[in-house]
Amino acid sequence: MRSVWIVVLFVLFVLSCKEEEANGASSVSSDFSSELVKAETLRSWKAYKEYAWGDDVLLPLSKGGFNWYEESLGISPIDAYSTLSLMGLKEEAAEIEEYVLAKNWDQDISVQVFEVNIRILGGLLAMYQMSGREEILASAIDMGNRLMPAFRSPTGLPYHSVNLQSGQTSGNLGEGLGNIVNVAQAASYLVEFGILSYYAKDPQYYQAAKKATRAIHERRSEIGLPGDYINVETGKWTNDWHYIQAGVDSYYEYMLKASILFGDLELRQIWEESYLKIKEYIEEDYSGRRFYACVNMHSGEIVKRSVSLYDAFFPAVQILAGDTASAEMNMQSWDWLWDQYGLLPTRYLYDKDSVEYANSELNPEIIESAYYLHQMTGEEDYLTMIKKYWKDINVCCRDSVAFHAIHDVRDMRPKDYLATYFFAETLKYFYLAGLEKSDFDIEDYIFSTEAHPFRKDAFEPSLIPEYLGLE
Ligand code: DMJ
């Protein structure tokens, strides 16, 4: 009887291996190269096209699509374009251009201003820079104009949402209710709106973005820290915490990046001042590792020792700002945390060594920072990290269709979702990490927070003052 069971189990094992082989899930390889990343991108992109074409998001496990609103905005294709184009996937890129040209933004839907700016407007502007097609620029200007009513608040801070057709604004909790945004939603527009102003030769966009950034900075506390949530009509803080995490992150990223891209000295000064405060109050070394805490904006006291996987963007920003030593220390902490789970949990309490939110959506930030550090220091250790991240993501999250998110990094339960930034950012940074500097030089580009790459030399310094309204 025992031997019968052994035979049955062996047959089941062989069959399950064959099934895995057929769906490609067992072909996990520890190899890493740009060609391999490109092949995986194409495989995932074909899955999007087969199961979700025209929808915002691919659901890889149920083999379907999902839209953020009542109608699709085409977020995945627009986000994916700059990655596919950098990879030389011309046919796929051309198909997205045609998709965009057939798209009418006159849609009766209320959209999140922050998300549409970084994914759609940023994606369209990169598409214009890469394709040179004027009709794409017209589409970007049209989208920019539809976002502008959001900035017509008493403070200049944008409302959370705006109706693309009517321009009617609304708060996070619905029309007329709770006109509250976090700092990232309030002031992460400088890069896209600056580029839009340059290409449209119209300062109104950059000026609106700058007004919003100033509105946050001017409301900093007596010790020089902003809060994290603000009412766009009264300009009053509704919460008095501050941090560099999701909810604030791209506010800092954009003042630095826009100062580099457009030579904006006012923004550079705001960045320098803000970074000193971050170092004074938010940065701390805890158990031999460098972290960035949540603090009270008035006292500077630490209120929570928690980090989110989004914060892993910061080493990239630090090295871009010239603080290589801090960038490297910070990166070590992220790499250590990755090693605890083979992926980053959404939120981790570093004083309790425990996971607060266990899900993971294949976010790009840790790969982005390792890429910047590898490129800008030349240290091979960072490329080794990237190869490990690639291998781990293939083990936990590659499926027969594409890749999927994870419900809990402690048991790697799969989640039926493939975020649009996986195409825009995660795959792009992996791909670029495997290229030679002569193929792609990071020094020639500024990446938006959604990793849309913009050539710096496309913006002629002598024209910037007029087009962006800079003194
Ligand atoms: C992206 O949509 C952007 O990078 C944004 O700034 C915050 N992070 C997500 C990806 O994690």
Side-chain angles (χ1 to χ4, degrees), residues 361-380:
E361 311 270 333
L362 294 179
N363 305 67
E365 287 81 0
I366 189 170
I367 301 137
E368 170 185 1
S369 281
Y371 166 65
Y372 272 73
L373 266 59
H374 176 241
Q375 295 296 308
M376 296 176 79
T377 66
E379 288 294 333
E380 280 303 296

Side-chain angles (χ1 to χ4, degrees), residues 64-90:
F66 168 79
N67 288 323
W68 282 23
Y69 307 104
E70 306 90 82
E71 293 173 38
S72 169
L73 287 170
I75 308 178
S76 275
I78 294 170
D79 240 0
Y81 177 89
S82 62
T83 299
L84 300 175
S85 182
L86 276 181
M87 291 178 176
L89 294 166
K90 292 197 179 118

Side-chain angles (χ1 to χ4, degrees), residues 68 79 114-115 118-119 184 188 246-247 249-250 253-254 309-310 313 361-365 368 419-422 424-426 429 448-451:
W68 282 23
D79 240 0
F114 168 81
E115 297 292 355
I118 65 171
R119 301 186 201 220
S188 304
D249 48 8
S250 41
E253 179 184 356
Y254 268 22
L309 53 74
Y310 303 96
F313 82 106
E361 311 270 333
L362 294 179
N363 305 67
E365 287 81 0
E368 170 185 1
T420 75
Y421 50 69
F422 184 69
E425 303 192 63
T426 313
Y429 288 124
S448 72
T449 193
E450 192 74 358

Side-chain angles (χ1 to χ4, degrees), residues 142-172:
D142 183 24
M143 177 53 87
N145 289 339
R146 292 173 190 277
L147 296 181
M148 283 301 278
F151 291 80
R152 294 183 194 126
S153 70
T155 57
L157 292 165
Y159 287 90
H160 180 274
S161 298
V162 67
N163 184 294
L164 288 180
Q165 196 168 72
S166 66
Q168 175 73 45
T169 55
S170 50
N172 196 5

